[in-house]
Amino acid sequence: QVQLVESGGGSVQSGGSLRLSCAASGATYRRYCLGWFRQAPGEEREGVAIIDSDSFTSYADSVKGRFTISQDRAKNTLYLQMSSLKPEDTAIYYCAAKMGSYCSASWTTAINIFPYWGQGTQVTVSS
């Protein structure tokens, strides 16, 4: 019903910036929650940030002040602007979507809430 494709990953030095994109296609909804999640090698997938159709946002403590989640409704695209990157930000980043509802702040830690996922894009931050 909904397809998500991430892009924009790559390698960057510590302190650098990177902008990830997630293009959505398929069914359209008036209410939705979108999120960015990441998974480092040997680690469990964790929530990074979420945003909904009312522009409510919530961030993981580890990225507050450094990452910004945003959306371009005209382009059906979700973004994650990452600044002041640290080696511990190295991970595969995934976008996800839950259609038909607004976000809840607790959903940054509830990955099973999101039924639609992209394929992931690798972000590598070197020291």
Side-chain angles (χ1 to χ4, degrees), residues 20-22 34-36 51 69-71 76-80 95-96:
L20 306 183
S21 299
C22 173
L34 309 173
W36 285 100
I51 188 170
I69 188 170
S70 63
Q71 61 186 320
N76 292 325
T77 302
L78 174 71
Y79 300 99
L80 184 67
C95 62

Side-chain angles (χ1 to χ4, degrees), residues 3-9 21-23 36 45 92-96 116-122:
Q3 296 80 46
L4 305 172
V5 180
E6 301 96 334
S7 63
S21 299
C22 173
W36 285 100
R45 191 169 300 186
I92 299 175
Y93 283 71
Y94 301 87
C95 62
Y116 302 106
W117 293 83
Q119 83 288 351
T121 186
Q122 177 70 49

Side-chain angles (χ1 to χ4, degrees), residues 26-38:
T28 58
Y29 295 82
R30 298 181 70 247
R31 299 177 181 180
Y32 55 82
C33 179
L34 309 173
W36 285 100
F37 300 81
R38 66 186 183 186

Side-chain angles (χ1 to χ4, degrees), residues 34-100:
L34 309 173
W36 285 100
F37 300 81
R38 66 186 183 186
Q39 187 166 18
E43 302 292 333
E44 295 184 346
R45 191 169 300 186
E46 64 177 358
V48 175
I50 54 174
I51 188 170
D52 68 18
S53 46
D54 268 5
S55 296
F56 166 85
T57 59
S58 184
Y59 296 87
D61 288 341
S62 60
V63 306
K64 286 180 180 177
R66 300 190 298 121
F67 291 9
T68 301
I69 188 170
S70 63
Q71 61 186 320
D72 186 329
R73 294 178 178 82
K75 295 181 178 180
N76 292 325
T77 302
L78 174 71
Y79 300 99
L80 184 67
Q81 178 64 53
M82 304 184 293
S83 300
S84 301
L85 284 162
K86 306 174 181 179
E88 51 262 46
D89 294 319
T90 295
I92 299 175
Y93 283 71
Y94 301 87
C95 62
K98 178 177 176 59
M99 317 310 293

